[in-house]
Amino acid sequence: MKILVTGGAGFIGSHITDALIAEGHSVVVLDNLSSGRIENLNPNSHFIQGDIRDIALIDRIFKEHRFEIVNHHAAQMDVRKSVEDPIFDAETNIIGSLNLLEACRKYSVGRFVFASTGGAIYGEQDYFPADENHATRPESPYGVAKCSIELYLHYYLSVHGMQHTIFRYANVYGPRQDPHGEAGVVAIFTNALLAERQCVIFGDGKQTRDYVYIGDVVRAHIEALKKGGESETFNISTGIETDVNSLFSMLSKITTGGKATVQYADARKGEQKRSVCSAAKAEEVLGWRPAVKLEDGLRSTVEYFQKALA
Ligand SMILES: NC(=O)c1ccc[n+]([C@@H]2O[C@H](COP(=O)([O-])OP(=O)(O)OC[C@H]3O[C@@H](n4cnc5c(N)ncnc54)[C@H](O)[C@@H]3O)[C@@H](O)[C@H]2O)c1
């Protein structure tokens, strides 16, 4: 199939591109390289450097390539940045996404696969783990934008018959994650530990997240693509809560034999206390369940960063 992967030079999008190409699909990557990297690009993909906010460019690409599926990963993905600059966040995450959706409608693309968020869309949870029926109460412009695009996808389905698959990711981690941003605690800690720099935990470190390995995320995409079918929303998560203190201890053990120390700083305003999502629906519908244990995934991630830093 002919597939457009937006954000295909980034962390998650590049792994998905690799898997789609390995499955025999033809992939065009659209990425403005704002956080993505040329080194992440699959050499067998067709790369277009450009911005999803550039409506004329989008139209040209869709006219030329006639995609069957759009897999949308390009985003401003930093929650804190979205709080500082909600307009920029909306320009990329709402208007940029809408540019793609309109092009899909115009050029009759069959399915839109959307990288949404399980962490930021539910807000402080009423119950644990959250399933897909949990109320959506995003507490950041980033979460609001993801929620909006989910709503647009329901509109495009009901009015224009465009199918979608929405993946609400928990905290994805693994090789190629950007360690220099504000998001992605596994990459940030790993990079700091390997460079013998002090890790900083904001707050008491008891805040929890659900960490899912990139290889598992990629498998969910491949399963969903094979399955096709109705438009659905899936949490892609492990259902396991891990607090930041435990995460640091595990990484410290792998990288320094547990000798590294951590510094505590003031809690960040508005940071969610607990976040964990159930992937029971993905298991039931797609036959997908996470296979990589956190400790194993962290080891693979550390090995990757060791090589990258060498
Ligand atoms: N990493 C996670 O834990 C996580 C969790 C939930 C959802 N997501 C979503 O998954 C997607 C991928 O995230 P990631 O972790 O791989 O981040 P990433 O920053 O590595 O990837 C995003 C990619 O989009 C590109 N991009 C940004 N703005 C663009 C624009 N205006 N036009 C074209 N390209 C643009 C960047 O250069 C980058 O390559 C995002 O939509 C993000 O919101 C990620």
Side-chain angles (χ1 to χ4, degrees):
M1 274 200 265
K2 186 136 197 192
I3 304 175
L4 173 68
V5 178
T6 70
F11 164 44
I12 302 173
S14 68
H15 284 281
I16 288 169
T17 299
D18 289 349
L20 291 173
I21 288 173
E23 291 279 317
H25 299 290
S26 163
V27 177
V28 173
V29 166
L30 173 65
D31 199 299
N32 69 355
L33 299 179
S34 55
S35 61
R37 288 149 44 101
I38 288 281
E39 302 88 281
N40 292 342
L41 282 171
N42 186 300
N44 295 318
S45 64
H46 175 99
F47 176 53
I48 298 167
Q49 183 168 353
D51 202 295
I52 57 169
R53 292 167 296 177
D54 183 345
I55 198 162
L57 172 73
I58 302 278
D59 194 72
R60 272 205 307 281
I61 296 172
F62 276 70
K63 195 177 204 166
E64 187 186 336
H65 290 279
R66 303 294 168 151
F67 303 112
E68 291 160 271
I69 293 183
V70 167
N71 185 308
H72 179 35
H73 276 73
Q76 183 307 104
M77 53 79 67
D78 187 329
V79 175
R80 276 185 284 265
K81 227 181 243 171
S82 81
V83 174
E84 281 162 25
D85 192 350
I87 293 172
F88 175 73
D89 185 84
E91 281 167 357
T92 303
N93 292 355
I94 299 182
I95 300 299
S97 301
L98 206 45
N99 288 339
L100 294 165
L101 282 166
E102 272 299 278
C104 286
R105 182 188 59 74
K106 186 169 167 194
Y107 293 99
S108 306
V109 174
R111 183 175 295 269
F112 195 93
V113 180
F114 181 52
S116 189
T117 166
I121 213 164
Y122 299 122
E124 285 301 346
Q125 294 174 210
D126 298 331
Y127 55 91
F128 305 86
D131 57 20
E132 293 81 354
N133 295 322
H134 189 287
T136 51
R137 281 189 303 258
E139 288 174 5
S140 62
Y142 170 82
V144 171
K146 292 288 184 189
C147 209
S148 310
I149 298 307
E150 289 198 6
L151 292 173
Y152 276 112
L153 284 169
H154 292 292
Y155 152 72
Y156 279 97
L157 172 65
S158 64
V159 176
H160 301 292
M162 190 200 299
Q163 298 293 328
H164 63 249
T165 307
I166 296 169
F167 287 117
R168 291 179 178 165
Y169 301 146
N171 283 57
V172 188
Y173 72 98
R176 299 186 192 157
Q177 189 163 29
D178 180 9
H180 305 295
E182 287 281 301
V185 67
V186 172
I188 293 169
F189 280 179
T190 303
N191 211 43
L193 284 161
L194 292 175
E196 295 178 20
R197 274 187 282 108
Q198 181 88 60
C199 290
V200 180
I201 291 177
F202 297 95
D204 60 9
K206 290 185 181 148
Q207 59 274 43
T208 65
R209 297 292 180 267
D210 179 332
Y211 296 96
V212 62
Y213 188 64
I214 182 66
D216 283 331
V217 171
V218 168
R219 240 179 352 92
H221 277 264
I222 299 302
E223 294 303 329
L225 188 58
K226 284 183 181 152
K227 198 113 190 159
E230 296 298 300
S231 294
E232 295 275 10
T233 300
F234 299 106
N235 285 340
I236 296 298
S237 55
T238 67
I240 299 170
E241 265 180 290
T242 304
D243 70 30
V244 182
N245 290 328
S246 309
L247 185 77
F248 172 78
S249 298
M250 291 168 95
L251 280 170
S252 161
K253 207 165 137 201
I254 297 167
T255 53
T256 70
K259 290 194 198 98
T261 56
V262 68
Q263 191 188 324
Y264 287 87
D266 288 344
R268 286 182 150 150
K269 233 174 117 186
E271 190 177 1
Q272 244 167 280
K273 205 59 201 142
R274 288 178 72 190
S275 175
V276 61
C277 302
S278 163
K281 183 176 172 189
E283 178 159 9
E284 193 189 310
V285 179
L286 302 175
W288 176 91
R289 74 160 91 147
V292 179
K293 287 203 185 87
L294 182 55
E295 180 135 25
D296 297 335
L298 292 179
R299 269 185 207 287
S300 306
T301 308
V302 168
E303 275 165 27
Y304 165 82
F305 279 105
Q306 270 165 337
K307 280 192 201 127
L309 290 172

